[in-house]
Amino acid sequence: MTEAHPGFDWTDRYLLGYRAMDDTHREFVALVDTLLTVPDAGLAHALDAFAEHAVAHFEQEDGWMRTTDFPAADCHIDEHAKVLASVREVRQELANGNFDVVRELAQALMDWFPGHADYMDSALALWMVKRSHGGAPLVFRRDSAKV
Protein backbone atom coordinates (compact mmCIF):
# COMPACT_ATOMS: atom_id res chain seq x y z
CA MET A 1 0.00 0.00 0.00
CA THR A 2 1.38 3.40 -0.92
CA GLU A 3 0.41 6.87 0.22
CA ALA A 4 -0.82 7.71 -3.31
CA HIS A 5 -3.06 4.63 -3.31
CA PRO A 6 -4.68 4.05 0.07
CA GLY A 7 -6.61 0.87 0.69
CA PHE A 8 -10.36 0.49 0.39
CA ASP A 9 -12.02 -0.76 3.55
CA TRP A 10 -15.53 -2.07 4.04
CA THR A 11 -17.72 0.05 6.27
CA ASP A 12 -21.28 -0.44 7.44
CA ARG A 13 -22.05 2.76 5.54
CA TYR A 14 -22.26 0.52 2.46
CA LEU A 15 -24.94 -1.78 3.92
CA LEU A 16 -28.20 -1.69 1.99
CA GLY A 17 -30.27 -4.26 3.83
CA TYR A 18 -30.49 -6.88 1.09
CA ARG A 19 -28.12 -9.61 2.25
CA ALA A 20 -27.24 -11.08 -1.14
CA MET A 21 -26.28 -7.61 -2.38
CA ASP A 22 -24.46 -6.67 0.81
CA ASP A 23 -22.40 -9.88 0.70
CA THR A 24 -21.46 -9.26 -2.95
CA HIS A 25 -20.54 -5.67 -2.15
CA ARG A 26 -18.24 -6.78 0.68
CA GLU A 27 -16.41 -8.99 -1.81
CA PHE A 28 -16.27 -6.12 -4.34
CA VAL A 29 -14.65 -3.82 -1.77
CA ALA A 30 -12.13 -6.49 -0.75
CA LEU A 31 -11.14 -7.14 -4.37
CA VAL A 32 -10.74 -3.43 -5.14
CA ASP A 33 -8.62 -3.13 -1.99
CA THR A 34 -6.43 -5.92 -3.31
CA LEU A 35 -6.00 -4.07 -6.62
CA LEU A 36 -4.89 -1.01 -4.69
CA THR A 37 -2.48 -2.79 -2.38
CA VAL A 38 -1.08 -5.90 -4.09
CA PRO A 39 2.52 -5.74 -5.33
CA ASP A 40 2.88 -5.33 -9.09
CA ALA A 41 3.79 -9.01 -9.47
CA GLY A 42 0.29 -9.94 -8.24
CA LEU A 43 -1.67 -7.42 -10.29
CA ALA A 44 -2.60 -9.76 -13.16
CA HIS A 45 -4.01 -12.36 -10.79
CA ALA A 46 -5.82 -9.69 -8.74
CA LEU A 47 -7.29 -8.10 -11.86
CA ASP A 48 -8.47 -11.50 -13.12
CA ALA A 49 -10.14 -12.17 -9.75
CA PHE A 50 -11.79 -8.76 -9.81
CA ALA A 51 -12.97 -9.20 -13.41
CA GLU A 52 -14.49 -12.60 -12.60
CA HIS A 53 -16.26 -11.11 -9.58
CA ALA A 54 -17.49 -8.06 -11.50
CA VAL A 55 -19.04 -10.17 -14.25
CA ALA A 56 -20.88 -12.38 -11.73
CA HIS A 57 -21.81 -9.40 -9.52
CA PHE A 58 -23.28 -7.37 -12.36
CA GLU A 59 -24.98 -10.36 -13.98
CA GLN A 60 -26.66 -11.09 -10.65
CA GLU A 61 -27.94 -7.53 -10.23
CA ASP A 62 -28.88 -7.22 -13.91
CA GLY A 63 -30.82 -10.48 -13.61
CA TRP A 64 -32.72 -9.23 -10.58
CA MET A 65 -33.63 -6.06 -12.46
CA ARG A 66 -34.77 -7.88 -15.59
CA THR A 67 -36.78 -10.61 -13.86
CA THR A 68 -38.57 -8.19 -11.54
CA ASP A 69 -39.19 -5.36 -14.04
CA PHE A 70 -37.15 -2.91 -11.98
CA PRO A 71 -38.14 0.57 -13.27
CA ALA A 72 -34.63 2.06 -13.46
CA ALA A 73 -32.98 -1.03 -14.94
CA ASP A 74 -31.65 0.45 -18.19
CA CYS A 75 -29.48 3.13 -16.59
CA HIS A 76 -28.20 0.75 -13.93
CA ILE A 77 -27.38 -2.02 -16.43
CA ASP A 78 -25.64 0.52 -18.69
CA GLU A 79 -23.44 1.62 -15.79
CA HIS A 80 -22.44 -1.98 -15.11
CA ALA A 81 -21.60 -2.46 -18.80
CA LYS A 82 -19.36 0.62 -18.76
CA VAL A 83 -17.43 -0.68 -15.76
CA LEU A 84 -16.95 -4.06 -17.45
CA ALA A 85 -15.76 -2.34 -20.64
CA SER A 86 -13.19 -0.43 -18.58
CA VAL A 87 -12.02 -3.66 -16.95
CA ARG A 88 -11.52 -5.25 -20.39
CA GLU A 89 -9.51 -2.24 -21.56
CA VAL A 90 -7.37 -2.29 -18.43
CA ARG A 91 -6.69 -6.02 -18.82
CA GLN A 92 -5.34 -5.29 -22.30
CA GLU A 93 -3.20 -2.43 -21.00
CA LEU A 94 -1.82 -4.66 -18.26
CA ALA A 95 -0.98 -7.32 -20.87
CA ASN A 96 1.04 -4.57 -22.59
CA GLY A 97 2.96 -3.93 -19.35
CA ASN A 98 1.06 -0.90 -18.05
CA PHE A 99 0.76 -1.53 -14.29
CA ASP A 100 -0.31 2.02 -13.42
CA VAL A 101 -3.58 1.73 -15.31
CA VAL A 102 -4.70 -1.05 -12.94
CA ARG A 103 -4.13 1.21 -9.93
CA GLU A 104 -5.99 3.99 -11.72
CA LEU A 105 -8.93 1.66 -12.35
CA ALA A 106 -8.93 0.59 -8.69
CA GLN A 107 -8.91 4.21 -7.55
CA ALA A 108 -11.75 5.03 -9.95
CA LEU A 109 -13.76 2.05 -8.64
CA MET A 110 -13.13 3.16 -5.05
CA ASP A 111 -14.41 6.63 -5.95
CA TRP A 112 -17.37 5.27 -7.98
CA PHE A 113 -18.70 2.59 -5.65
CA PRO A 114 -20.11 4.68 -2.76
CA GLY A 115 -22.27 6.81 -5.06
CA HIS A 116 -23.37 3.82 -7.11
CA ALA A 117 -24.33 1.93 -3.96
CA ASP A 118 -26.06 4.95 -2.39
CA TYR A 119 -28.20 5.76 -5.40
CA MET A 120 -28.56 2.89 -7.82
CA ASP A 121 -28.03 -0.17 -5.64
CA SER A 122 -30.02 1.19 -2.70
CA ALA A 123 -33.03 1.61 -4.98
CA LEU A 124 -32.61 -1.95 -6.22
CA ALA A 125 -32.20 -3.27 -2.65
CA LEU A 126 -35.40 -1.49 -1.62
CA TRP A 127 -37.19 -2.92 -4.67
CA MET A 128 -36.01 -6.45 -3.95
CA VAL A 129 -36.88 -6.35 -0.24
CA LYS A 130 -40.27 -4.82 -0.95
CA ARG A 131 -41.03 -7.57 -3.47
CA SER A 132 -39.87 -10.38 -1.20
CA HIS A 133 -40.99 -9.08 2.21
CA GLY A 134 -43.51 -6.32 1.51
CA GLY A 135 -41.49 -3.60 3.24
CA ALA A 136 -38.31 -1.59 3.27
CA PRO A 137 -34.89 -2.98 4.26
CA LEU A 138 -33.86 -2.56 7.86
CA VAL A 139 -30.18 -1.71 8.23
CA PHE A 140 -28.23 -1.61 11.47
CA ARG A 141 -24.95 0.25 11.20
CA ARG A 142 -22.26 0.36 13.84
CA ASP A 143 -21.11 3.76 15.00
CA SER A 144 -17.65 3.76 13.42
CA ALA A 145 -16.41 6.24 16.03
CA LYS A 146 -17.05 3.66 18.76
CA VAL A 147 -15.67 0.58 16.99
Side-chain angles (χ1 to χ4, degrees):
M1 182 165 51
T2 65
E3 191 172 316
H5 300 288
F8 188 28
D9 296 322
W10 175 262
T11 171
D12 283 356
R13 170 185 180 270
Y14 302 136
L15 288 172
L16 300 175
Y18 187 58
R19 185 173 186 130
M21 187 179 288
D22 289 336
D23 290 347
T24 300
H25 285 173
R26 275 188 190 91
E27 184 179 347
F28 178 93
V29 168
L31 289 165
V32 171
D33 181 64
T34 299
L35 290 174
L36 289 164
T37 59
V38 71
D40 286 352
L43 272 176
H45 177 71
L47 184 57
D48 288 345
F50 175 79
E52 183 178 321
H53 163 85
V55 168
H57 174 165
F58 297 156
E59 283 178 354
Q60 180 181 50
E61 288 184 13
D62 294 356
W64 292 335
M65 288 184 274
R66 286 185 182 107
T67 60
T68 65
D69 296 320
F70 180 65
D74 290 343
C75 180
H76 198 153
I77 290 169
D78 286 349
E79 195 162 299
H80 289 164
K82 289 175 184 174
V83 170
L84 293 176
S86 293
V87 170
R88 284 190 298 275
E89 290 174 18
V90 167
R91 283 176 115 175
Q92 184 58 50
E93 286 293 316
L94 181 59
N96 293 331
N98 185 348
F99 293 95
D100 291 339
V101 73
V102 179
R103 308 288 186 194
E104 291 167 10
L105 171 68
Q107 184 65 50
L109 290 167
M110 188 173 89
D111 294 341
W112 168 82
F113 177 75
H116 179 81
D118 284 348
Y119 297 102
M120 294 194 168
D121 286 340
S122 67
L124 179 57
L126 174 64
W127 179 260
M128 296 302 291
V129 170
K130 187 173 184 177
R131 291 182 59 83
S132 62
H133 301 295
L138 183 58
V139 179
F140 293 97
R141 293 186 175 97
R142 290 174 266 201
D143 183 350
S144 61
K146 294 180 182 180
V147 176

